[in-house]
Amino acid sequence: MQQILKISIADFWLIFRDASLKTFLFLPLLIFFVILWALPALIKAFPIVADYKKYILIVSTIQLTQMFGFIYGMMLVDEKETGVAKVYGILPVNKIGFIIGRFFMPIIITILLTFLLLLVQPFYNLASFPCLIFSILSGLLVPVYAIGVSLLSKNRIEGLVWVKVMNLIIVLPIVAFFVPKNISYFFSVFPTYWLYLGLDQMIFNQYFMINWAAGFLYLLILLTLFSLQFTKKHYE
Amino acid sequence: MIEVNNIGFSYLISSQKILNGISFKIHQGEIFGFLGPSGAGKSTTQKILYKILHGYTGEIKIAKKPLHDWDKSYLEKIGVGFEFPNHYLKLTGRENLQLFGSFYNANKLKPIPELFELVGIQDAIDKKVATYSKGMKMRLNFIRAIMHEPDILFFDEPTAGLDPGNAHKIKMYIKQLKEQGKTIFITTHNMNTADELCDRVSFINEGTLQITDTPQALKSRHGKHTVSVLLKNKMQQEFPLKNLGTNPEFLSFINSQEVEKIQTMEATLEEVFLKVTGKTLN
C-alpha cells in the first residue's frame, strides 16, 4: 500500500507539471456540467433531445474514463520516448505490482466519478449497487486504454493518433443502438459494446448482468494480455 | 562477483543469435570493459545482467547465486548509468533524484546536494532538467546510478557527451568507486576510456567474445617489442627491447645527439581490436 501511495504521489506530481495533462483533469467537470445543467436545459429548449438523453448519458459516463486513460497513456508514451521507462526497469519494484500500483488511484478515482455521475444524473432513478458495478467496469477501461496507447505508440505524436483511435473504439458501439439488431452484433468486438448494452438494460430495469459479465471478462483478458506485453516491452 | 557462462540470446522475431556462447568473470572491485562496435551485443549482455531481458541460455551467477534466483533485492544492489540521458524533463534535477530514490532503501541513499556537488552541477539542482546541457544530463545519469550505494555498477559509455574536464572527473570518480570495492562493468567503444579505466577488457564482435585480457597485455602482445628513438635532428630509429641497455647501436645512437622522444612501439587498443576482429569500432 505504501508503494502504491508512493507511485501515485509521484504520478500526480508529474501530471501537475505538464500543462496538457493537467488540463485533462478538468474533463469530469465538463461532463458533470453537461449532464447536470446543459443537457436538462437543452431538453427544456428542444424537447426532441429527450429521446437521446439515454445515449448521451451512456457515452458521457464512459467518457469519464478518458481523463486518466489519456493522461496515463501519454505519460507512459512520454516515458518511453525519453528513455525514462528504462530507469523504471531497473528499479527494485515488481513489474506487475508496478502496473497495479500505477493504475490503482486512477481506477479508484474513475470508479468514484462514474458512480457519482450515475447517482446524481437527473434523468433516471438508478439503484446504487448496479451503478457501482458499472463504475468498476468503467474503471477497468482506464489501464486497458492507457497501456494500449503506450504499446502502440513510439512517441507523443503517435500517442495522440492512437488516443483518437482509442476514443473512436470506445464511443463507436453507441452506433449499435441505431442499426438493425443483426448488424448491431458486429459491434460486440468492441469491449464497451457490452458495457453500453448493460447500462441500457439497467436504465430500463432489465437483466443486465450477462452483458456486464461478458464486458468484464473481455476487459480482463485485454488487460492481462496488454500487461504481459507491457512488462516485456516497456522497460527495454 | 559476476560469472557469465556460455550465454546465448536471440530475439523471438529473429533467428539470428545476438549473443553466441559468451563467458567471462568480473571480480569484486574490478573494472571490466566490454568493447565492441554498435550491434556487437554489448547492450544486450548488460540488459540480461540487469534483468530486463529474459530467455537467455547458459548460466549467470551474481555473488555465487544464479541470476534468475535473485528477487528484486538484486536491483537494490545494482546501479545503471545509461548511454543516453533519460530523465523527466519537466522535473528539476533534485526532483528526479527524489522520485527515483524513493524506490530504494532510504538508509543507503546519499544526500542529493552532495551528489550534485560531486559532478559539479550544484547550481542546477533546482532547475528543470529540460534546461540542462547534454553533458549535465549525463552527469545526472551518473549520480542517479550511484545514489543508492550499489555494489555493482553498469556504465554504458560513461564519458559520452562530456567535455574533457568533466570526462576526467567522472573517470576519477569511477576509479574511486573501484577503490571502495564496487564491481564495475563498462561498455564502450571509446578506447581511451577503456584503456584508462579498465583492469581487464573483452572484445565482443557479432555476439562472440574474441579476447579478454588487461589492456596493457593486449597492447604489448599485439605491438612491436621495440622502442623508437627520435633525435633533435629528426633522425629516427627503432631498436629491439631485448637487451636494450647493452645494445651498442642504441647507446651510440642516443649519445650522438640530444634525444627528443623515446617511445615503446606497443599497439593501441584500437589497433589490437582491428587486428583481432578485423573491424573498426566506429
Side-chain angles (χ1 to χ4, degrees):
Chain A
M1 194 61 202
Q2 206 184 349
Q3 195 75 34
I4 289 172
L5 204 66
K6 209 184 275 180
I7 296 169
S8 301
I9 291 169
D11 280 345
F12 275 89
W13 200 4
L14 291 167
I15 293 165
F16 280 99
R17 286 301 176 88
D18 190 310
S20 61
L21 300 184
K22 200 164 56 179
T23 310
F24 252 72
L25 288 174
F26 294 99
L27 182 71
L29 288 181
L30 189 71
I31 291 171
F32 273 80
F33 173 78
V34 167
I35 295 298
L36 295 181
W37 291 283
L39 188 57
L42 205 63
I43 290 170
K44 207 172 174 184
F46 307 99
I48 194 171
V49 179
D51 295 347
Y52 302 97
K53 67 184 178 199
K54 177 182 78 176
Y55 308 115
I56 295 171
L57 177 66
I58 290 174
V59 171
S60 298
T61 48
I62 288 291
Q63 282 297 311
L64 282 172
T65 61
Q66 291 271 315
M67 174 176 69
F68 282 121
F70 173 81
I71 289 174
Y72 274 77
M74 293 314 285
M75 263 168 64
L76 294 176
V77 171
D78 201 37
E79 282 168 10
K80 195 150 74 170
E81 193 177 6
T82 55
V84 172
K86 288 180 183 173
V87 187
Y88 281 111
I90 51 123
L91 291 178
V93 282
N94 176 292
K95 301 295 174 278
I96 289 285
F98 184 67
I99 296 177
I100 296 168
R102 272 203 116 162
F103 286 103
F104 183 78
M105 287 307 268
I107 288 173
I108 295 293
I109 296 172
T110 305
I111 290 172
L112 290 176
L113 286 170
T114 311
F115 185 59
L116 189 67
L117 184 69
L118 288 173
L119 286 188
V120 299
Q121 52 74 32
F123 310 112
Y124 305 99
N125 191 17
L126 302 174
S128 52
F129 184 66
C131 288
L132 183 65
I133 296 177
F134 178 79
S135 307
I136 292 169
L137 285 175
S138 293
L140 272 183
L141 260 180
V142 173
V144 172
Y145 184 118
I147 297 174
V149 168
S150 94
L151 284 176
L152 293 163
S153 327
K154 287 191 192 77
N155 52 51
R156 269 196 162 224
I157 305 291
E158 280 187 28
L160 288 169
V161 172
W162 283 109
V163 159
K164 295 232 180 261
V165 174
M166 213 57 99
N167 289 351
L168 193 68
I169 289 172
I170 281 175
V171 176
L172 202 62
I174 201 73
V175 178
F177 291 106
F178 300 96
V179 294
K181 195 134 184 117
N182 55 342
I183 296 176
S184 75
Y185 290 125
F186 286 114
F187 293 92
S188 62
V189 292
F190 302 105
T192 46
Y193 167 83
W194 303 96
L195 274 63
Y196 286 178
L197 222 58
L199 188 58
D200 180 52
Q201 288 163 333
M202 186 183 106
I203 287 170
F204 294 110
N205 286 320
Q206 293 166 345
Y207 189 68
F208 51 82
M209 285 309 268
I210 288 180
N211 284 319
W212 280 358
F216 179 72
L217 203 66
Y218 198 163
L219 285 173
L220 213 60
I221 291 169
L222 282 179
L223 187 57
T224 309
L225 292 175
F226 283 12
S227 299
L228 289 174
Q229 196 63 11
F230 182 81
T231 50
K232 262 190 207 162
K233 295 278 165 207
H234 190 66
Y235 307 108
E236 272 183 28
Chain B
M1 191 61 154
I2 300 175
E3 284 178 66
V4 174
N5 289 316
N6 199 27
I7 58 161
F9 182 83
S10 51
Y11 286 99
L12 282 177
I13 46 167
S14 157
S15 56
Q16 196 198 342
K17 279 223 160 195
I18 305 294
L19 298 177
N20 208 350
I22 280 182
S23 301
F24 59 89
K25 277 185 186 174
I26 310 177
H27 307 288
Q28 189 181 349
E30 185 182 28
I31 304 180
F32 185 80
F34 229 37
L35 278 68
S38 304
K42 303 188 299 283
S43 300
T44 304
T45 309
Q46 278 209 347
K47 280 181 188 170
I48 289 173
L49 283 172
Y50 43 78
K51 294 191 89 170
I52 290 284
L53 285 182
H54 303 272
Y56 57 89
T57 56
E59 188 184 40
I60 299 172
K61 283 185 179 172
I62 307 290
K64 298 200 167 97
K65 186 172 160 182
L67 181 63
H68 49 74
D69 286 351
W70 279 95
D71 58 11
K72 62 178 184 166
S73 66
Y74 171 65
L75 299 172
E76 285 270 3
K77 280 174 80 75
I78 68 165
V80 179
F82 292 94
E83 183 182 2
F84 299 107
N86 44 1
H87 311 282
Y88 282 115
L89 302 178
K90 284 173 180 145
L91 298 186
T92 67
R94 187 199 296 271
E95 287 167 343
N96 265 280
L97 290 202
Q98 277 171 345
L99 194 155
F100 293 116
S102 70
F103 292 94
Y104 292 102
N105 178 357
N107 298 328
K108 290 188 91 181
L109 289 175
K110 289 183 179 177
I112 291 174
E114 210 174 274
L115 288 164
F116 275 78
E117 209 163 314
L118 182 78
V119 291
I121 51 171
Q122 61 273 29
D123 294 339
I125 188 168
D126 289 317
K127 286 184 182 154
K128 282 190 181 173
V129 175
T131 65
Y132 285 24
S133 67
K134 192 194 171 194
M136 289 162 82
K137 287 176 190 163
M138 284 306 288
R139 282 180 272 169
L140 189 57
N141 262 19
F142 182 78
I143 56 177
R144 187 181 57 204
I146 61 166
M147 70 177 167
H148 55 291
E149 294 266 20
D151 297 329
I152 302 169
L153 283 148
F154 297 94
F155 291 117
D156 198 354
E157 303 290 353
T159 55
L162 298 178
D163 59 78
N166 281 309
H168 178 73
K169 271 188 200 167
I170 293 291
K171 282 189 265 192
M172 288 301 107
Y173 196 73
I174 291 175
K175 283 182 181 171
Q176 278 180 38
L177 290 167
K178 168 193 153 70
E179 299 303 317
Q180 292 163 21
K182 311 283 186 196
T183 306
I184 300 165
F185 184 8
I186 291 176
T187 54
T188 184
H189 53 251
N190 184 323
M191 287 297 162
N192 293 333
T193 302
D195 202 358
E196 265 184 72
L197 285 177
C198 299
D199 298 312
R200 285 185 308 134
V201 292
S202 266
F203 290 165
I204 182 170
N205 187 34
E206 291 172 358
T208 310
L209 275 198
Q210 308 278 336
I211 198 166
T212 303
D213 214 329
T214 64
Q216 192 53 49
L218 288 172
K219 287 188 294 184
S220 57
R221 196 185 313 154
H222 292 274
K224 287 198 277 182
H225 295 272
T226 57
V227 287
S228 165
V229 181
L230 177 68
L231 301 178
K232 274 273 182 208
N233 62 4
K234 302 297 170 201
M235 277 186 69
Q236 191 169 7
Q237 208 171 320
E238 271 184 44
F239 300 93
L241 275 171
K242 200 173 179 186
N243 302 323
L244 185 67
T246 53
N247 181 339
E249 225 180 307
F250 169 73
L251 293 172
S252 115
F253 189 73
I254 59 170
N255 284 317
S256 66
Q257 264 276 333
E258 200 179 329
V259 176
E260 190 169 294
K261 193 163 80 176
I262 299 181
Q263 67 180 94
T264 56
M265 296 303 284
E266 65 184 13
T268 63
L269 270 187
E270 189 132 20
E271 286 164 346
V272 180
F273 189 88
L274 184 65
K275 215 167 171 181
V276 172
T277 66
K279 285 191 171 176
T280 57
L281 274 161
N282 297 312

